[in-house]
Amino acid sequence: MAELNERLPSYSALMCVYEKEIPANFNDSLESMLMQSYPPDDFVLVCDGKLTNELNIIAKSFESEYKSIFRIVRTEENMSPGAALNIGIAACNQKYIIKMDSDDISEPDRCECQMRVFALDPELDILGGWVEEFDSETGQTLALKKCPLHHNEIMKYARRRNPFNKQTVAFRKSKAFEAGGYSDLAHCSDYEFAVRMLQKGAKAQNLPKMLVRYRVSKSYRRKKHWENPKSFITVRHRIYKSGFSSLWDFLLPVTAQLMMFVLPTRFTDFLYKKFLRK
């Protein structure tokens, strides 16, 4: 491990959690990041508003076990995901930040793989990879969600869709500040963040490797939530108005999103499996 530490840059791990998180998922997520083959030098947990007793007990137990690196930052009230992440970014004390959701599971070598890429390319600013979706109820693997790999492909893809699997993103802290951090939208702030990073000249890459196992609730996806397409349209309009994408790049995905919202669930499930997971 000492030899590994000399070769790879240090990093902060960043996670946000709020009161509706399932305790067992939260525990598994924390464990997957703190037991990495190349563990973080700094772990920032943003407790977004008041947590349940179970969640607080888990957070404090990890703080006690990893007291040399584990820090809890609390907010008085529940904020938007982006606002909570911005507080966490400011609290991180390393040059690079690896973001982790509070209900997913990182592969044991995820952070080592990502930091090796940053070590090989000091000009790289944002890095992601593939995710494996699995059913949160059964644990069954559903799909491998890929993404464009190289910078030019990422720039082109970003005009219509998020070029990163948000669960896998790692980035340079200074570039995130330069881009203005995350927006205060309830949904899709990760997409806008990625585009603003690219607009600021961030060099981007995705690894052709599964880095994170991502929980998917079939029952949740069957429900129609207007907030999701509404946020997507808002972000797409902001990106279009910024000059990053064309009018066609705005209209095409917005039309597709609205169709997904109004069509029967069995049809949208087919489209999701056929096209949107790729």
Side-chain angles (χ1 to χ4, degrees):
M1 183 60 72
E3 183 182 352
L4 188 65
N5 289 344
E6 291 175 5
R7 294 199 306 268
L8 301 184
S10 301
Y11 70 96
S12 295
L14 171 60
M15 181 186 294
C16 298
V17 64
Y18 79 125
E19 64 178 354
K20 292 187 179 180
E21 187 57 84
I22 297 172
N25 295 350
F26 178 45
N27 185 85
D28 290 347
S29 182
L30 284 169
E31 194 171 77
S32 76
M33 285 298 286
L34 288 161
M35 298 185 69
Q36 287 285 306
S37 59
Y38 182 55
D41 296 85
D42 174 44
F43 194 107
V44 174
L45 174 67
V46 179
C47 295
D48 186 10
K50 294 181 180 179
L51 301 185
T52 64
N53 287 336
E54 286 181 286
L55 292 173
N56 270 319
I57 289 170
I58 292 170
K60 289 177 181 178
S61 69
F62 276 91
E63 182 183 37
S64 176
E65 184 174 356
Y66 296 92
K67 54 188 173 184
S68 63
I69 64 166
F70 198 97
R71 292 180 293 127
I72 296 176
V73 178
R74 297 184 183 273
T75 66
E76 291 186 6
E77 297 181 355
N78 180 248
M79 312 172 75
S80 68
L85 281 168
N86 288 337
I87 289 173
I89 291 171
C92 289
N93 60 28
Q94 298 296 327
K95 179 179 180 180
Y96 297 104
I97 297 173
I98 295 184
K99 179 175 165 284
M100 180 64 181
D101 287 349
S102 61
D103 61 345
D104 298 327
I105 300 173
S106 282
E107 287 293 282
D109 63 345
R110 173 202 171 176
C111 298
E112 180 181 344
C113 290
Q114 291 190 285
M115 296 319 297
R116 282 188 185 279
V117 177
F118 279 118
L120 289 170
D121 187 355
E123 295 183 356
L124 188 64
D125 296 301
I126 183 167
L127 173 67
W130 297 348
V131 296
E132 180 186 84
E133 294 184 349
F134 71 100
D135 190 319
S136 59
E137 282 85 27
T138 66
Q140 177 187 4
T141 297
L142 301 174
L144 179 66
K145 190 176 178 184
K146 301 181 179 181
C147 45
L149 301 180
H150 305 296
H151 181 80
N152 289 340
E153 296 170 335
I154 289 169
M155 289 290 291
K156 182 179 179 180
Y157 193 94
R159 295 201 297 263
R160 296 183 182 177
R161 292 172 61 187
N162 191 345
F164 300 99
N165 287 315
K166 69 184 185 68
Q167 301 84 2
T168 68
V169 167
F171 52 85
R172 188 189 304 271
K173 178 178 177 178
S174 60
K175 201 68 178 181
F177 272 128
E178 185 182 344
Y182 286 80
S183 72
D184 59 357
L185 290 171
H187 305 279
C188 299
S189 60
D190 292 274
Y191 181 18
E192 188 185 22
F193 172 73
V195 168
R196 280 193 279 105
M197 288 277 281
L198 295 173
Q199 286 179 305
K200 287 295 183 180
K203 184 176 182 181
Q205 184 178 335
N206 279 308
L207 285 171
K209 174 181 170 59
M210 192 270 283
L211 300 177
V212 175
R213 298 190 70 229
Y214 166 49
R215 297 179 191 275
V216 176
S217 171
K218 290 182 179 179
S219 59
Y220 177 83
R221 213 173 65 237
R222 290 191 183 101
K223 298 175 183 177
K224 299 290 186 177
H225 297 272
W226 170 241
E227 284 301 316
N228 292 337
K230 179 182 176 182
S231 294
F232 180 85
I233 293 168
T234 299
V235 167
R236 289 296 312 123
H237 188 256
R238 289 184 183 183
I239 292 171
Y240 162 64
K241 293 295 286 185
S242 74
F244 184 81
S245 61
S246 68
L247 179 60
W248 180 246
D249 290 326
F250 166 68
L251 292 175
L252 187 64
V254 165
T255 301
Q257 188 75 22
L258 290 173
M259 288 177 63
M260 291 286 286
F261 182 71
V262 300
L263 288 171
T265 301
R266 64 180 181 276
F267 187 67
T268 58
D269 278 349
F270 169 77
L271 291 177
Y272 181 76
K273 294 173 184 177
K274 187 73 174 176
F275 301 106
L276 298 185
R277 277 188 179 144
K278 296 182 179 180

